[in-house]
Amino acid sequence: MNFFTMCMLAAGFGMAIGAFGTGIGQGMAVKSAVEGVSRNPGASGKILTTMMIGLAMIESLAIYVLVVCLIILFANPYKDVMIKALETVAK
């Protein structure tokens, strides 16, 4: 396979796995917060505040995955090496 095709596949799979994991984590966090509020409505302020902080931490994982995927696609350190190798093979 072509080097650039492999980079596209790696970025796609990385983003899919990262989004899947953070989606599961956020769903479980919201589910637990809703259960906690339904059991103890008086503590809803603390529960919701803690949930929002947790969701922000979980969402930062998805942003890190996005940054790594963008690095793979656009700032790949091996891109120049592969372009020179492909030019050599093409001659």
Side-chain angles (χ1 to χ4, degrees):
M1 281 188 129
N2 191 342
F3 174 74
F4 298 106
T5 306
M6 295 299 281
C7 288
M8 291 287 192
L9 286 174
F13 282 129
M15 203 57 213
I17 292 169
F20 178 76
T22 55
I24 296 279
Q26 286 182 343
M28 291 175 62
V30 170
K31 176 186 125 283
S32 298
V34 169
E35 287 177 355
V37 169
S38 67
R39 287 193 179 123
N40 188 3
S44 66
K46 286 185 176 182
I47 292 172
L48 292 178
T49 303
T50 305
M51 181 195 69
M52 288 300 193
I53 292 171
L55 289 177
M57 296 298 169
I58 294 169
E59 190 64 31
S60 69
L61 288 172
I63 294 169
Y64 292 145
V65 169
L66 175 66
V67 168
V68 169
C69 290
L70 290 175
I71 288 171
I72 289 172
L73 290 176
F74 299 113
N76 196 334
Y78 299 111
K79 182 172 61 174
D80 296 331
V81 174
M82 285 306 297
I83 289 173
K84 287 180 185 175
L86 291 173
E87 288 174 353
T88 305
V89 170
K91 289 182 183 179

